Amino acid sequence: MTAPLLQAAGVGYSYPGPTPTKALDNLDLDVEEGEFLALLGPVGCGKTTLLRIFAGFLEPTEGTVRCGGEIIQGPGPRLGYVLQEQSIFPWMSVRDNLEFGLVARGVDAAERHEISDELLRLIGLEAFEAAWPKDLSAGMSKMVEVARVLATDPAILLLDEPFGALDAQTRARMQDALTRLWEQRRKTVVFVTHDADEALYVADRIAVLSHRPGRVKTTVAVDLPRPRSFETRFLARFVALKRMLWEGMDSATQGV
Amino acid sequence: MTAVRIRRAAFALILLAALYGVAAWIGQGRLPDRVWMGAHYVENVQLLPTFPSLFEEAGFLLESGILPASAAVSLLRVLAGLLLGSTVGILVGLATGRASRAESLADPWVSALRFTPALALLPLFVAWFGYGEISKVLLIASGVAVVTLLGAHQGVRSVPRVYLEAAASLGARGAFAFRKIVLPLAFPAIFASLRVAIALAWVTIVVAELIDARMPSLGYLLALSGAYPRVPTMLVSIGTVGLLVLVSDLLALLLHARATRWMGRAA
C-alpha cells in the first residue's frame, strides 16, 4: 500500500503568549490520495489550527506533518488552501481571480484562458467571467475561491468551513456544487466543518476532533453511494451515520 | 454619487454668492470708503465690492492676461511640488509600510512629521536655496511628501491578512504579491492622502507667494492688491484659487472613482 498523501504524526500546537493555549495535542491523522476527508468538531477544537498547519501558515510545536513524504515548509500552490474568511480578490474580475495562481507561476495567456474557461464552466459562472466579485453572491464567491485554488492543480485541497456563512438552502446548493466538482476532479480534500450533515454529504471519511486541545477522537467511514444527491440526505444509512457522529461529538464535548 | 455631490456643491456656492451679493448691496454707500493703512489714509476703497464691479475687475484681469499668467505660474509650482512630493512620499511610505513591524502609527517621529506645518520650513529653505522656484517647489513637495508618505504607509499596513494568505497559497510571493495584492489594496488610502495633499499644496503656495511676492503669481496678485488696497482684485484672486482647488479636487475624485470601481457602493 502506498504512503498516505498527507500525514500528521504526533502533532501538537500551542499558541504563544503569556498563557500559552494548547490547541492541538498529539494528533495523528493520515489522508489518502484522492480521499475526501472531513474534519468535524465543535467550535474551538483546533480544526482551523490544524488546517493552517496543513496549509503551511503555522508550524506545529510538536510532531511533524508531511505532504507527499516531505515536511511542509511554508505555504505554496501545492497546498491549495481556501480560507474561512472571504478572500476572493475584489479588485479583480472573476476570470482574473481564477487565473491569479497561473499568472504567479508564469503560465502564458492562452493556457491560462483555457484553464479558466474550464473552471468557469465547472462552477457554472461562464456568464460572470468579467464581473466584479461585489456582484457575486457569497456562495458564488466561495466557489470562485475553490476553483481559483484548483486552477494551480494543487496536490491537496484544504477547505476551511467554506459554506459556514451561508444560509441553509444556499449551503445545500454549494455542497452539491462542490460534490459535483469533486466527483469530476477527484482531488484529495480536507474539509473542515462543525456541521455533521455537511460532513456526511460531502466526505468519504470523517475525522471527529475532540474538544480543545484537539486530537482525533474517532474516524467514521462514510459508505454512502456516489454521486450524492438530495435523496442521499434521507437515506437510512445517512441518518444512522449522523447518529453515530452526534454520539461521537457528544463524548467529545464531555468534561467541559 | 459624484453627481449629487457636484449638485450640492453648486447649490452651496450659489447660496454663498447670493448672500454676498445681498451683503454688498446693503453695504453699498453705507460702508466707509476710507481705510487707514498704518501711515496714511486711502480714499475710494470698496470694502464689499458689488457683483458688477467684481465682474468688471475679473474682465480686466482676464483680458490684460494678468490673471491667466499668474494662475499659470502658481499652477505650475503646485504641479511640480505635487509630482516631486508625492513620488517621494508614496515610494518611501510603501517601503516603510512594507518593512515596518509596528502596527500603529503612534510613533513619535510620525507625530512630529504630521503636525509640523510645512510652512515652518520656509525660512530654512530660503536660507538654503534663496528666494525663487526651488524653495517654493520644495516647500510644497515637503508638505505633500509627509501627507502621502503617511497615506501610503497606512495603506500598506492595513492590507487584510486574508488576501496575503490567499495569494501566498496560490504561489504569489515577494514583489509579485506586492504589486498584485498590496498595491491595489493600498491605493484608496494613498489616493485619499493625495487629495489632502492637493489642498495642502494650494494653501502652501498661496502663503509662500504672499510672503515672497515678487514674480507674478496668484499670491503676488493678492499681496499687491492688499497693498493698495483693491478689494475687487483680492476677491477675484481668492475666487481663482478656490476655483483651481475645486477643479483639482474634482479631477482627483473622478480618477479615484474610476480606479476603485471594484469596490462596493457602500464602501
Side-chain angles (χ1 to χ4, degrees):
Chain A
M1 205 184 139
T2 53
L5 178 70
L6 190 74
Q7 201 170 20
V11 168
Y13 188 84
S14 298
Y15 281 100
T19 50
T21 16
K22 207 162 178 71
L24 299 170
D25 186 32
N26 199 21
L27 181 144
D28 296 305
L29 183 68
D30 289 349
V31 185
E32 303 296 333
E33 176 117 39
E35 180 181 34
F36 197 131
L37 176 88
L39 279 177
L40 179 68
V43 171
C45 72
K47 303 177 302 255
T48 295
T49 304
L50 183 59
L51 204 69
R52 287 177 66 74
I53 290 174
F54 289 166
F57 286 106
L58 294 176
E59 217 176 304
T61 41
E62 291 154 45
T64 53
V65 180
R66 290 164 193 279
C67 179
E70 285 167 38
I71 289 180
I72 290 172
Q73 283 177 336
R78 253 171 68 74
L79 307 160
Y81 174 46
V82 177
L83 286 89
Q84 186 171 0
E85 299 92 340
Q86 182 150 312
S87 67
I88 191 168
F89 302 138
W91 62 98
M92 296 183 196
S93 70
V94 168
R95 189 186 283 281
D96 287 345
N97 262 282
L98 292 175
E99 293 184 0
F100 182 81
L102 301 170
V103 175
R105 189 186 287 175
V107 177
D108 67 79
E111 196 183 335
R112 285 203 312 261
H113 217 71
E114 204 174 301
I115 294 171
S116 55
D117 268 344
E118 195 201 334
L119 288 167
L120 281 167
R121 198 165 35 74
L122 265 175
I123 58 176
L125 289 182
E126 295 103 317
F128 288 86
E129 56 155 326
W132 298 115
K134 68 177 158 86
D135 298 324
L136 299 185
S137 69
M140 285 150 96
S141 297
K142 212 66 201 181
M143 285 316 286
V144 173
E145 286 173 33
V146 174
R148 180 173 72 180
V149 161
L150 280 177
T152 56
D153 197 26
I156 190 163
L157 199 55
L158 307 163
L159 307 177
D160 193 356
E161 300 209 29
F163 311 133
L166 305 178
D167 62 274
Q169 270 186 318
T170 315
R171 209 177 154 98
R173 268 216 323 279
M174 290 299 136
Q175 288 162 6
D176 258 341
L178 181 68
T179 310
R180 292 294 91 71
L181 203 63
W182 185 81
E183 279 160 5
Q184 293 197 35
R185 288 297 186 95
R186 296 276 164 178
K187 274 268 170 243
T188 312
V189 179
V190 178
F191 184 102
V192 163
T193 180
H194 61 255
D195 178 348
D197 281 58
E198 180 167 81
L200 280 170
Y201 190 71
V202 296
D204 293 324
R205 194 161 63 100
I206 299 171
V208 181
L209 292 194
S210 67
H211 202 272
R212 176 169 294 218
R215 57 175 82 197
V216 178
K217 187 93 189 159
T218 173
T219 59
V220 174
V222 184
D223 47 3
L224 295 167
R226 288 187 185 270
R228 304 221 171 122
S229 66
F230 183 69
E231 303 301 326
T232 308
R233 298 177 194 271
F234 302 95
L235 294 175
R237 185 65 189 146
F238 187 96
V239 179
L241 283 168
K242 186 169 159 181
R243 186 188 180 101
M244 236 165 93
L245 283 176
W246 273 101
E247 282 165 2
M249 285 210 287
D250 262 349
S251 61
T253 49
Q254 264 167 24
V256 177
Chain B
M1 186 185 71
T2 317
V4 173
R5 258 194 199 162
I6 292 171
R7 224 171 351 192
R8 275 192 202 143
F11 178 72
L13 266 181
I14 290 168
L15 193 69
L16 202 67
L19 284 175
Y20 175 85
V22 171
W25 178 65
I26 294 172
Q28 208 174 9
R30 289 188 177 82
L31 287 169
D33 60 353
R34 270 156 61 92
V35 173
W36 176 246
M37 288 299 286
H40 58 96
Y41 276 104
V42 180
E43 308 285 341
N44 295 325
V45 175
Q46 275 186 288
L47 285 180
L48 276 184
T50 52
F51 273 113
S53 67
L54 276 181
F55 284 131
E56 193 188 325
E57 181 67 15
F60 161 71
L61 287 172
L62 278 174
E63 242 170 85
S64 62
I66 294 174
L67 192 61
S70 302
V73 168
S74 298
L75 184 65
L76 273 179
R77 285 169 178 166
V78 164
L79 285 180
L82 269 177
L83 199 69
L84 181 65
S86 60
T87 306
V88 172
I90 290 171
L91 287 180
V92 174
L94 290 177
T96 60
R98 197 181 181 189
S100 159
R101 296 255 143 248
E103 287 298 325
S104 82
L105 277 175
D107 307 340
W109 68 269
V110 175
S111 305
L113 273 181
R114 180 181 300 179
F115 297 119
T116 304
L119 278 167
L121 297 174
L122 183 61
L124 193 63
F125 283 177
V126 168
W128 285 346
F129 307 107
Y131 288 99
E133 293 310 303
I134 296 180
S135 294
K136 293 201 183 64
V137 170
L138 280 182
L139 194 65
I140 298 174
S142 55
V144 167
V146 169
V147 171
T148 50
L149 188 156
L150 294 174
H153 180 96
Q154 186 83 298
V156 171
R157 293 305 311 163
S158 61
V159 168
R161 177 189 56 85
V162 285
Y163 297 122
L164 294 173
E165 289 192 354
S169 279
L170 291 164
R173 50 188 71 246
F176 180 81
F178 191 77
R179 195 158 45 86
K180 293 280 188 177
I181 307 291
V182 177
L183 274 189
L185 283 167
F187 182 81
I190 294 174
F191 220 94
S193 74
L194 202 58
R195 272 187 72 199
V196 174
I198 289 173
L200 181 69
W202 280 108
V203 173
T204 309
I205 196 57
V206 169
V207 176
E209 287 171 349
L210 270 172
I211 292 171
D212 172 27
R214 293 187 305 173
M215 188 177 159
S217 64
L218 287 175
Y220 169 83
L221 206 56
L222 266 172
L224 204 63
S225 48
Y228 272 97
R230 276 176 67 91
V231 180
T233 320
M234 284 186 222
L235 289 182
V236 171
S237 309
I238 292 169
T240 309
V241 173
L243 192 72
L244 285 169
V245 172
L246 204 70
V247 168
S248 38
D249 190 53
L250 204 65
L251 279 178
L253 209 62
L254 285 175
L255 267 172
H256 179 257
R258 185 159 171 74
T260 54
R261 273 173 306 169
W262 53 270
M263 285 186 172
R265 278 274 166 261

